[in-house]
């Protein structure tokens, strides 16, 4: 059992405690001695989010309300059974999504009136620019579950623009006039929004959108996990941004696998806050805020982490399973600076003078530095 005792200081906990929770965050109960100063929470678990339960599915969110440091982006974790529909809707924020399990049929309309439909599965992503009307439906045995990312931390999944809500809030005679039909035809309209509801399972062998609809010339989906990864010492990295998925102009991401004991190297992102989502494994992250301030957090599957723009950090796999995670950014491009690359590209004598290394160690260190990025260092016991 972890206790706040370190280097002969501190004491055990004799009052009330939540042991399950403390065991999930050993570095939060007993922070490393390098932690210092005040840093607001950079961790939230979807397990603590309110779950909106609906027919055929559910949704839970992590926004600036749940996690005040979630400023750039908000996240929604959603489940749709086979045939269940997240109804036709739109919103001010752009939407990026990663499918965690199962398969999903998406539809979206572009500004030129082009219609887009795709059936996608685990590891695939989609992106809908601001205001584009769209729908989601679970397909295949078991339906799907996915992570949605919105490019504003103030996003609220419960205040999107829904087809059924709109029609319920519009005089029936106006609805009838709009479709050039008799008002009586609309007597059966839902009196409130449907949001998520069970639909008929679609035949995925044929398109759902009408054959006379014009087809979009844009690509709204991308196979992220099918990308061949950048294989590095301690894991794999797959990056998706406007370089390989041009429509995603406000969200960039990296899918990262870190082997047990390996380290996503010390680095920072110059262009945006990082919104991390942990899919599996156990990870430790220290966020360095400058001014003598740093704080360490522990994460596991279902947790969200934040690293504000330009703050130094690492991700260490401290468990026995691989860490699988997404680093998501409100930016058109994935950008990071590597500490090791930076030092390997700086005047060696200057680097030595910063680090106070003894003569032989200094030479060894300088020889080991490379002016390249090595995003995940393997577990090396030198
Ligand atoms: Mn949406
Ligand atoms: Mn990072």
């Amino acid at each position: 059992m972890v206790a706040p005792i370190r280097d002969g200081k501190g004491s055990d906990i004799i009052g009330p405690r939540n042991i399950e929770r403390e065991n999930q965050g050993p570095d939060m109960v007993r922070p490393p001695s390098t932690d210092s100063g005040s840093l607001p929470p950079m961790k939230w678990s979807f397990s603590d989010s309110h779950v909106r339960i609906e027919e055929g599915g559910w949704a839970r969110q992590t926004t600036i309300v749940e996690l005040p440091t979630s400023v750039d982006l908000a996240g929604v974790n959603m489940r749709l059974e086979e045939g269940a529909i997240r109804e036709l809707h739109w919103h001010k924020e752009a939407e990026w999504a990663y499918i965690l399990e199962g398969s999903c049929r998406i539809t979206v309309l572009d500004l030129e009136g082009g219609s887009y439909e795709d059936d996608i599965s685990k590891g695939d992503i989609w992106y809908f620019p601001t205001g584009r009307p769209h729908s989601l439906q679970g397909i295949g045995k078991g339906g799907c579950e996915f992570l949605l990312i919105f490019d504003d931390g103030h996003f609220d999944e419960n205040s999107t623009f829904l087809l059924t809500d709109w029609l319920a809030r519009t005089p029936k005679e106006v609805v009838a006039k709009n479709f050039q039909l008799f008002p009586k035809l609309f007597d059966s309209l839902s009196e409130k929004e449907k949001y998520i509801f069970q639909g008929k399972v679609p035949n995925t062998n044929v398109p759902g959108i009408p054959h006379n609809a014009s087809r979009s010339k844009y690509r709204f989906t991308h196979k992220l996990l099918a990308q061949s990864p950048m294989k590095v010492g301690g894991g794999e990295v797959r990056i998706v941004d406007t370089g390989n998925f041009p429509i995603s102009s406000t969200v960039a991401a990296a899918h990262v696998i870190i082997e047990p004991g390996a380290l996503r190297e010390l680095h920072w992102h110059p262009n945006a806050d990082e919104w991390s989502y942990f899919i599996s494994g156990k990870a430790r992250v220290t966020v360095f805020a400058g001014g003598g301030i740093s704080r360490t957090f522990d994460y596991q599957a279902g947790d969200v982490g934040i690293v504000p723009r330009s703050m130094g950090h690492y991700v260490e796999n401290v468990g026995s399973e691989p860490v699988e995670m997404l680093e998501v950014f409100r930016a058109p491009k994935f950008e990071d600076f590597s500490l090791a690359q930076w030092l390997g590209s700086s005047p060696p004598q200057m680097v030595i003078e910063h680090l106070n290394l003894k003569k032989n160690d200094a030479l060894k260190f300088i020889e080991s530095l490379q002016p390249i990025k090595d995003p995940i260092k393997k577990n090396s016991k030198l």
Side-chain angles (χ1 to χ4, degrees):
M1 207 182 305
V2 64
I5 299 173
R6 193 184 61 215
D7 306 326
K9 292 181 182 171
S11 188
D12 57 350
I13 298 172
I14 57 173
R17 61 191 305 186
N18 184 334
I19 289 170
E20 287 83 1
R21 210 160 178 118
E22 288 175 3
N23 285 339
Q24 286 181 9
D27 293 290
M28 300 169 81
V29 178
R30 181 178 47 212
S33 61
T34 41
D35 276 16
S36 170
S38 299
L39 204 60
M42 301 289 176
K43 177 181 177 179
W44 179 266
S45 175
F46 272 106
S47 308
D48 286 333
S49 297
H50 166 72
V51 183
R52 181 170 173 180
I53 297 176
E54 298 285 341
E55 183 186 275
W58 51 257
R60 51 184 178 177
Q61 63 185 1
T62 300
T63 73
I64 199 165
V65 173
E66 286 76 20
L67 180 57
T69 47
S70 180
V71 178
D72 275 5
L73 301 170
V76 174
N77 178 204
M78 189 178 288
R79 171 88 169 94
L80 297 174
E81 295 256 18
E82 184 179 17
I85 296 169
R86 167 65 172 98
E87 78 160 277
L88 287 158
H89 72 283
W90 74 99
H91 30 76
K92 288 179 279 187
E93 302 78 4
E95 171 177 317
W96 183 99
Y98 179 86
I99 302 184
L100 298 162
E101 296 292 343
S103 301
C104 185
R105 169 170 279 195
I106 61 108
T107 70
V108 59
L109 184 67
D110 71 26
L111 272 173
E112 288 105 89
S115 198
Y116 183 92
E117 180 177 63
D118 201 6
D119 296 340
I120 49 177
S121 301
K122 180 174 180 166
D124 296 342
I125 64 173
W126 69 75
Y127 181 86
F128 304 142
T130 174
R132 272 42 164 200
H134 54 277
S135 70
L136 316 170
Q137 185 169 29
I139 55 172
K141 211 171 160 35
C144 59
E145 188 177 322
F146 43 85
L147 175 74
L148 299 161
I149 295 288
F150 300 89
D151 62 357
D152 184 348
H154 289 94
F155 173 83
D156 181 2
E157 175 65 15
N158 299 313
S159 22
T160 60
F161 300 98
L162 279 71
L163 168 64
T164 54
D165 188 28
W166 192 14
L167 296 184
R169 309 266 84 81
T170 306
K172 287 273 162 60
E173 65 274 20
V174 174
V175 175
K177 202 181 273 185
N178 186 70
F179 293 107
Q180 305 270 284
L181 289 163
F182 301 104
K184 198 151 178 46
L185 197 109
F186 300 98
D187 281 353
S188 55
L189 281 184
S190 174
E191 281 174 15
K192 62 179 187 62
E193 65 179 39
K194 297 182 98 161
Y195 182 58
I196 291 174
F197 63 99
Q198 188 61 52
K200 191 169 173 290
V201 175
N203 177 359
T204 51
N205 294 318
V206 294
I209 52 176
H211 56 83
N212 59 351
S214 75
R215 280 358 190 213
S216 177
K217 59 176 187 280
Y218 303 100
R219 181 165 60 88
F220 292 90
T221 55
H222 175 79
K223 299 202 170 302
L224 172 56
L225 213 50
Q227 261 176 238
S228 62
M230 185 202 303
K231 292 241 186 211
V232 287
E236 295 180 357
V237 181
R238 292 168 174 85
I239 289 169
V240 60
D241 61 16
T242 49
N244 51 4
F245 188 33
I247 202 155
S248 186
S249 59
T250 65
V251 179
H255 177 277
V256 176
I257 295 173
I258 308 167
E259 298 302 336
L263 182 78
R264 168 89 174 87
E265 66 172 344
L266 286 159
H267 68 282
W268 72 95
H269 306 277
N271 59 339
D273 294 356
E274 174 173 334
W275 203 97
S276 325
Y277 178 72
F278 292 85
I279 296 170
S280 67
K282 287 185 188 304
R284 176 166 87 146
V285 175
T286 300
V287 177
F288 167 61
I293 297 170
S294 75
R295 186 173 168 193
T296 303
F297 300 87
D298 299 297
Y299 299 100
Q300 64 183 66
D303 290 349
V304 175
I306 301 289
V307 183
R309 183 164 65 94
S310 286
M311 290 192 187
H313 58 287
Y314 64 85
V315 184
E316 182 183 19
N317 185 338
V318 291
S320 52
E321 305 290 320
V323 164
E324 182 183 357
M325 66 177 293
L326 293 168
E327 306 174 7
V328 193
F329 306 88
R330 187 175 70 193
K333 284 279 186 190
F334 176 88
E335 291 181 2
D336 69 351
F337 276 108
S338 147
L339 170 67
Q341 180 182 32
W342 176 36
L343 297 190
S345 311
S346 299
Q349 183 56 34
M350 187 190 278
V351 172
I352 289 171
E353 286 166 9
H354 278 81
L355 302 184
N356 296 335
L357 299 175
K358 292 196 195 77
K359 202 158 186 230
N360 283 343
D361 295 341
L363 282 176
K364 214 175 284 172
F365 178 72
I366 289 300
E367 277 167 16
S368 75
L369 284 179
Q370 296 291 327
I372 53 157
K373 215 177 267 185
D374 178 17
I376 304 169
K377 318 283 192 192
K378 65 171 178 289
N379 188 7
S380 61
K381 299 254 190 316
L382 290 173

